Amino acid sequence: MTHPASSPLIPKAELHMHLEGALESELLVTLARRNGVPLPTYDPDVLDARYRFGQLQDFLDVYFDNLAVMRTAEDFHDLAALYLRRARENGVTRAESFFNPMTHVGAGVPLAAVMEGYGAAFADARREGLSCDMILDFTRDLGAEAADQMLTDFAPFRDMIIGVGLDSTEVGYPPVLFRDVFARAAADGLHRTCHAGEEGDPEYVRQALDDLRVERIDHGLRAVEDPELLKRIAAEQIPVNVCPLSNVALRAVDRMDRHPLFAMLDAGVPVTISSDDPAYFGGQIGANFAALEDIGTSQEVLIGCIETSFEAAFIDAGERERHLAALRSAV
Ligand code: ADE
Ligand code: ZN
């Protein structure tokens, strides 16, 4: 083995990250100044030091507050360009990135400005050789009607996304509420994925599979509490996109060496590794692999998760084979 999985020299796919979660404090301050949006402090180090969370909602409150600085197409371009640069610096060769348009539109930003900015950064990254696409995430606590309206309003931008997902406050907003909007997305040829089992019980994961007919699960941690469900996920080979640093930072997992991803792997579940919100949880995808290396996870397991990431990516067979061949020649 020449390089560890965490190395930028090992190609990898990142399938679970939120563009809005890439808003590093330095960019946050720049955008706040550019747009005249007040911040509690303009010192990026002090802002970073505040990122200690007791649970998912603590994080989401800060995450959504910070998004008040996002106003223009240029802001969205700069945010996505920052992430896509960081991703490439970490060896990412395939990026599938979530974004939350409902937040921005709710703050009075035209959807066209959001998509102009994000779209320009993704087009630039593609020209530079990165394979990358966007996934529209519905904000589940805004409800199913708002999600349905967003899908309707998104029609002019339909070709800029490859799929839909569901994120934000989980408990109290079970996947079944979104059955019709996911069915509409499927009928339009969009891929489907869903945050489930991060804080919600195994029933949330079951509903994501049965009611939303998702192709992948994001987090999925609490599925390990239900052996039958875990067996089913393994039998159906549903990839679970896990974010180790996020799960420890948000206390979904008390210690890295007790992360449910190990039980998932033992059960035969396909597991991938991603950063979730790299500006908030201590690092990019490389740092997430490094955290697993630090607790002694074998390279065989970690390289297996990278292989799975290409297998789980929403790409065609030819592209998949090219990524896997590059991985084989790098390890
Ligand atoms: N939005 C951004 N990060 C998230 C997470 N970890 N869980 C739910 N929604 C999110
Ligand atoms: Zn997430």
Side-chain angles (χ1 to χ4, degrees):
M1 185 84 53
T2 44
H3 308 289
S6 58
S7 164
L9 298 172
I10 301 295
K12 35 183 84 75
E14 177 153 59
L15 307 182
H16 180 171
M17 79 74 61
H18 304 259
L19 291 174
E20 288 84 359
L23 185 55
E24 295 175 20
S25 293
E26 222 162 281
L27 181 59
L28 176 70
V29 167
T30 300
L31 299 185
R33 291 216 162 98
R34 190 195 274 172
N35 294 322
V37 176
L39 288 182
T41 162
Y42 292 81
D43 181 339
D45 294 333
V46 176
L47 288 165
D48 279 343
R50 293 185 321 153
Y51 295 161
R52 293 179 193 287
F53 311 109
Q55 56 177 334
L56 174 61
Q57 193 60 49
D58 300 342
F59 156 69
L60 291 171
D61 291 345
V62 175
Y63 168 92
F64 286 119
D65 275 358
N66 283 348
L67 293 178
V69 304
M70 305 293 303
R71 304 300 308 169
T72 67
E74 186 188 7
D75 303 337
F76 291 95
H77 167 271
D78 292 354
L79 176 59
L82 174 65
Y83 165 64
L84 292 165
R85 177 159 60 83
R86 295 268 191 256
R88 294 186 74 185
E89 288 167 355
N90 277 258
V92 171
T93 54
R94 170 68 184 164
E96 297 179 4
S97 314
F98 298 130
F99 65 103
N100 279 92
M102 293 162 79
T103 308
H104 311 303
V105 171
V109 180
L111 188 54
V114 178
M115 297 319 294
E116 180 189 333
Y118 281 159
F122 274 68
D124 286 347
R126 278 184 206 118
R127 272 192 293 275
E128 289 162 16
L130 179 68
S131 170
C132 51
D133 281 296
M134 285 180 269
I135 296 175
L136 188 178
D137 253 13
F138 301 117
T139 306
R140 62 204 310 160
D141 42 301
L142 295 180
E145 244 176 69
D148 196 65
Q149 186 64 49
M150 175 49 69
L151 192 60
T152 300
D153 295 345
F154 210 80
F157 311 102
R158 161 66 183 84
D159 293 343
M160 297 179 74
I161 55 170
I162 56 166
V164 296
L166 189 61
D167 71 9
S168 301
T169 311
E170 183 178 4
V171 175
Y173 302 93
V176 66
L177 299 176
F178 299 86
R179 184 168 46 200
D180 292 349
V181 66
F182 269 64
R184 263 186 77 200
D188 195 21
L190 289 163
H191 290 289
R192 282 108 32 230
T193 181
C194 175
H195 284 56
E198 182 182 18
E199 286 188 342
D201 66 30
E203 177 60 16
Y204 284 69
V205 178
R206 203 172 296 110
Q207 287 184 10
L209 297 172
D210 290 337
D211 296 308
L212 304 191
R213 314 210 61 84
V214 296
E215 297 150 273
R216 306 193 301 227
I217 296 279
D218 299 302
H219 294 302
L221 308 175
R222 292 193 62 190
V224 301
E225 295 170 20
D226 182 335
E228 283 309 310
L229 176 62
L230 203 59
K231 254 194 241 163
R232 173 186 172 188
I233 295 170
E236 295 179 14
Q237 287 289 286
I238 305 290
V240 178
N241 299 322
V242 168
C243 306
L245 288 175
S246 163
N247 300 144
V248 172
L250 300 185
R251 305 189 196 196
V253 171
D254 64 348
R255 278 176 31 181
M256 195 60 88
D257 59 352
R258 290 205 277 250
H259 198 293
L261 77 91
F262 300 108
M264 291 182 196
L265 288 167
D266 286 346
V269 170
V271 170
T272 78
I273 306 297
S274 294
S275 66
D276 207 7
D277 300 281
Y280 292 94
F281 302 140
Q284 303 287 329
I285 189 171
N288 277 271
F289 276 100
L292 296 174
E293 287 166 353
D294 287 347
I295 56 160
T297 314
S298 75
Q299 285 299 317
E300 194 188 344
V301 163
L302 295 177
I303 297 295
C305 291
I306 294 177
E307 260 169 29
T308 301
S309 72
F310 290 122
E311 271 148 19
F314 297 142
I315 51 180
D316 65 30
E319 181 179 345
R320 188 182 324 286
E321 197 37 55
R322 282 195 296 282
H323 287 294
L324 287 168
L327 174 62
R328 281 193 291 272
S329 65
V331 293

